Amino acid sequence: MEIDVTADDVGRIKADVLAVPVFEGDPTRDPIVKQLDLALGGILGQVIREEQFTGKSSTGVQLHTHGRIAASRVHVVGLGKKTREPGAALRNGATRAARSAQSAKLGTLAAVVPSAAPDAALAARALAEGMLLGTYRFDRYLTGDRKPKTALGAARVVVVPKGKGARRVPAAVQAAVSQAQIVAQAVNAVRDLTNEPPNELNPRTFAEWVTKLAKTHKVGVTILDKAGIEKAGMKLLMAVNQGAVEEPRFIHLRYSPAKPRRKIALVGKGITFDSGGLCLKPARSMIDMKCDMSGAAVTCSTVLAAAQLGLPVEIHGIAALTENMPSGRAYRPGDVFGSLDGKTVEIINTDAEGRLVLADALAYAAKLQPDVIVDHATLTGACVVALGAQTAGVFGSDRRTAERYVRSAGTAGESMWHMPLSEELREGLKSEVADIKNIGDQFGGAISAALFLREFVGDRPWIHVDIAGPAFAEKAFGLYPKGATGFGVLTLLEFLSSGA
Ligand code: BES
Ligand code: MN
Ligand code: ZN
């Protein structure tokens, strides 16, 4: 869906719904609401009072306009209390308006930039992103009656002209909406890849998808196939792949602007299906394990978006892809393998496969000598136990970088929490026969996993984001639909845009 921008009086905007976001307070005093109320003969203010609507987040009022203004309906959307950075609230509000329009089978939606927003361009961008993210559906595999026949066809951002006759859209607002398209497309691409069934999306088809887009956007791409991975010495990625019929793939994307300020390596876990291997998961835990490649999808999609946005940093996107399957050739508990880094690893549990493929990917990233490494992985159920299904755990080699990352998440409106790398848990990873074991103590599983990863990043500053909870949702939350969410992209782009 394309989004366009219009500068016009709110009464003249043609649309099935005109969404008017308002901050908490007395909405009848909002200048845009006032203007509409006047045009509607006072019924908007009346409905707001009758419904005792005060602009609290997740609330709203809607009414039909019966031809009194150009738009057929008005939807006043509550944003909650006004803050210094209202971007996330506006994005959420636009998502709700878009969902409501889509479920009412309406065709066009226009969202008005509130006059109270501190930065019109940022607000326009948030509204555009929200509308594009809110209408996402994964319906590729539905047929006949199950295939939705209607979709929101057009969305528009409206800026109310300052002076009379100033009907030109400011260039900054136009540019912001173009950026929104790129950002939303990046999130929705992660959703598509993750929702894709695992018989369709495997390491080979994932790499084909990345290669095609990298060529389109002039991003450098190297793909290693099984022979290449073996030759490179990625013994842990090879070990996890042993039980799979599908070949593994290793992806290295490169984006570099003219004068890069910093060099960043992004790394992603790409298990296209995690059965647990010989330590087979029970059926209930296996059901959503197509989502185990979301870290790789977040990584690759973000590099492609960063290139389109022309961000001022050099970015390397690295993803290790394989299935984790049981078979007569599968790797076993007790096996010992070397790694790209050189350290040896004793396998205790074949279901702790993510940290193994990441170990090789992180060692590869560290060799590039980046200023910082950021990895994303659906790594541990323990992280979901610790933080719930809507919050990611952030681990960092140093406190300041991790805290900076969590602040970027706050600005982006994603829920992330700084977790400790508790040194006392390192003991549990000691092995008798190898340098390290692939699982640690019974408790603190998310931390043990992070401590394992730390062994492979060398001296590079590093951030690890465990997205096992929010990557795939049992029920919709905030911006995120049920199923694949694309969680992580917004924060990563915010972090990279602010110079990383
Ligand atoms: N992919 C899973 C983690 C996961 C769990 C992702 C729930 C998304 C939702 C990971 O490979 C795994 O199986 N981890 C094990 C580790 C254990 C064997 C130490 C786990 O969390 O149980
Ligand atoms: Mn696993
Ligand atoms: Zn896994």
Side-chain angles (χ1 to χ4, degrees):
M1 184 171 66
E2 283 288 308
I3 294 225
D4 71 4
V5 200
T6 311
D8 208 345
D9 294 332
V10 279
R12 298 177 13 134
I13 303 295
K14 277 204 197 70
D16 291 328
V17 207
L18 182 71
V20 182
V22 295
F23 295 103
E24 210 173 316
D26 179 359
T28 59
R29 290 171 56 179
D30 179 275
I32 292 165
V33 171
K34 267 190 182 159
Q35 206 179 325
L36 285 168
D37 190 40
L38 201 64
L40 293 168
I43 56 166
L44 180 57
Q46 211 175 327
V47 172
I48 287 174
R49 280 187 295 272
E50 280 165 9
E51 298 286 323
Q52 298 183 359
F53 171 72
T54 57
K56 279 202 171 58
S57 74
S58 307
T59 66
V61 296
Q62 297 198 48
L63 54 81
H64 289 251
T65 64
H66 301 285
R68 288 192 179 95
I69 61 170
S72 316
R73 296 165 189 78
V74 171
H75 181 181
V76 188
V77 185
L79 299 175
K81 293 211 166 54
K82 193 180 158 193
T83 58
R84 263 193 303 133
E85 288 183 335
L90 283 162
R91 205 196 275 128
N92 265 297
T95 287
R96 273 186 288 123
R99 282 193 190 140
S100 142
Q102 193 162 57
S103 60
K105 301 198 177 355
L106 303 178
T108 57
L109 167 66
V112 188
V113 173
S115 34
D119 181 331
L122 279 182
R125 174 171 162 174
L127 290 176
E129 285 173 2
M131 290 191 279
L132 291 166
L133 294 171
T135 49
Y136 175 84
R137 278 196 299 226
F138 186 73
D139 53 17
R140 271 190 83 170
Y141 294 97
L142 299 177
T143 69
D145 286 348
R146 294 295 317 282
K147 190 115 190 151
K149 277 167 208 61
T150 57
L152 198 63
R156 161 169 300 176
V157 173
V158 180
V159 280
V160 178
K162 283 267 152 51
K164 277 235 175 320
R167 300 257 187 275
R168 188 130 17 80
V169 176
V173 172
Q174 192 72 59
V177 171
S178 306
Q179 287 172 353
Q181 307 248 18
I182 296 169
V183 172
Q185 211 167 53
V187 177
N188 285 338
V190 175
R191 293 173 175 178
D192 274 344
L193 279 171
T194 308
N195 280 325
E196 193 66 30
N199 59 324
E200 294 291 337
L201 191 88
N202 54 48
R204 182 175 41 80
T205 53
F206 186 113
E208 280 166 9
W209 177 86
V210 170
T211 306
K212 201 166 138 224
L213 285 177
K215 297 216 161 113
T216 308
H217 300 299
K218 303 203 163 48
V219 167
V221 56
T222 308
I223 309 280
L224 300 184
D225 62 6
K226 189 171 179 171
I229 291 166
E230 166 130 62
K231 190 153 164 259
M234 299 182 190
K235 298 196 173 83
L236 293 172
L237 175 54
M238 290 299 288
V240 175
N241 181 251
Q242 269 179 213
V245 173
E246 293 289 347
E247 274 204 16
R249 288 289 184 271
F250 185 84
I251 299 177
H252 181 177
L253 293 171
R254 287 180 208 81
Y255 157 70
S256 190
K259 281 192 190 122
R261 267 196 256 145
R262 306 247 284 160
K263 178 169 167 179
I264 317 292
L266 308 181
V267 175
K269 167 178 173 180
I271 302 296
T272 58
F273 185 70
D274 182 11
S275 71
L278 288 179
C279 305
L280 200 64
K281 284 180 186 295
R284 244 177 339 110
S285 315
M286 210 188 289
I287 188 70
D288 288 331
M289 278 304 137
K290 66 175 184 182
C291 82
D292 218 16
M293 37 51 73
S294 342
V298 166
T299 297
C300 295
S301 197
T302 300
V303 181
L304 294 165
Q308 294 169 71
L309 292 167
L311 298 189
V313 280
E314 177 178 334
I315 309 173
H316 294 261
I318 292 148
L321 297 153
T322 176
E323 294 184 320
N324 184 24
M325 298 292 273
S327 93
R329 270 209 286 270
Y331 78 135
R332 334 158 179 70
D335 282 353
V336 173
F337 298 97
S339 62
L340 181 63
D341 170 85
K343 290 195 176 71
T344 57
V345 180
E346 180 189 8
I347 307 305
I348 303 296
N349 191 317
T350 62
D351 198 11
E353 84 298 336
R355 62 198 74 184
L356 300 173
V357 306
L358 280 172
D360 278 346
L362 288 167
Y364 181 97
K367 283 190 194 171
L368 303 170
Q369 291 287 310
D371 296 306
V372 57
I373 303 175
V374 184
D375 83 65
H376 281 76
T378 44
L379 202 61
T380 65
C383 198
V384 193
V385 173
L387 298 175
Q390 301 180 3
T391 301
V394 176
F395 300 81
S397 52
D398 68 282
R399 178 180 286 274
R400 281 193 38 228
T401 322
E403 281 173 359
R404 215 149 45 77
Y405 203 78
V406 171
R407 270 203 303 282
S408 295
T411 307
E414 293 189 314
S415 173
M416 298 201 183
W417 194 258
H418 186 185
M419 298 280 282
L421 281 164
S422 316
E423 289 304 333
E424 69 273 18
L425 291 180
R426 175 63 183 81
E427 187 76 17
L429 291 169
K430 281 198 176 145
S431 161
E432 298 284 315
V433 298
D435 297 334
I436 192 169
K437 298 192 298 194
N438 81 327
I439 66 168
D441 296 354
Q442 188 189 351
F443 299 116
I447 301 172
S448 298
L451 286 167
F452 180 93
L453 298 181
R454 189 180 65 177
E455 297 293 316
F456 298 88
V457 297
D459 62 353
R460 295 293 89 199
W462 155 77
I463 291 164
H464 157 58
V465 189
D466 193 332
I467 53 171
F472 203 85
E474 246 166 66
K475 57 177 203 297
F477 65 99
L479 286 175
Y480 304 105
K482 184 172 154 57
T485 61
F487 184 99
V489 173
L490 294 173
T491 301
L492 200 39
L493 283 174
E494 171 62 34
F495 182 72
L496 296 169
S497 311
S498 61

